[in-house]
Amino acid sequence: MVCVLFDSSRNSWLDFLLKKIAGRNLAIFTLPFFAEICYNKKMTESQKSTLLSKAHEMLKFSYAPYSGFKVGAALLCKNGKIFGGCNIENAAFSPSNCAERTAFFNAVSSSEREFEAIAIVGGTAGIVKDFCPPCGVCRQVMMEFCDAKSFKIILQDGNGMTKEFSLEEILPLGFGAKNLQD
């Protein structure tokens, strides 16, 4: 996933090019949308909706031939970029990777280190029925890169109901880099 920012108030050859490549695994955001994500302390419903839509979109990329349980995640960086992730299973089970970690590893491998929120959805055969909270390993990865008090985990069930938690709420007394400092 590549995120591209452009100023929609100016017509230019870049605007033309961006419109031509839209829909080819690119997310194109206008500067006002980008600014809204970057400068608001509290996420708006529109921003949450965008994240949740991306998480639902990631369900179709899930590789879950053993459990049949598909999970999609969308990770919002503090600079406004959004990285998607899906679960990827393996016959040996241990090498499997959750959607949340896939999103984080995708972002970190693109040099991102500051994160605002993650939206997560999942269900058998990709049909979302209930909330799909992150597993313990995913929570620990979040603890490595996020501020536990401010990082938000957004979950959605099959009825469209959402729940939002801070990382600190779902991982109390979390162990992180600060624990290793003298």
Side-chain angles (χ1 to χ4, degrees), residues 29-42:
F29 301 114
T30 61
L31 287 177
F33 177 82
F34 177 73
E36 180 184 2
I37 288 179
C38 289
Y39 299 113
N40 283 344
K41 286 288 187 186
K42 184 165 172 50

Side-chain angles (χ1 to χ4, degrees), residues 2-22 26-31:
V2 176
C3 293
V4 180
L5 304 173
F6 72 100
D7 185 346
S8 60
S9 65
R10 294 181 2 215
N11 288 325
S12 68
W13 68 270
L14 181 58
D15 294 303
F16 173 77
L17 177 64
L18 291 171
K19 289 174 185 169
K20 286 293 182 190
I21 60 177
L26 294 172
I28 299 176
F29 301 114
T30 61
L31 287 177

Side-chain angles (χ1 to χ4, degrees), residues 64-108:
Y66 307 106
S67 72
F69 196 87
K70 297 183 175 201
V71 181
L75 177 64
L76 175 63
C77 302
K78 287 191 177 181
N79 65 11
K81 292 180 184 175
I82 297 173
F83 288 85
C86 63
N87 59 322
I88 304 166
E89 294 182 348
N90 186 287
F93 293 109
S94 292
S96 296
N97 205 53
C98 298
E100 301 90 314
R101 285 184 283 143
T102 300
F104 269 93
F105 298 160
N106 186 7
V108 170

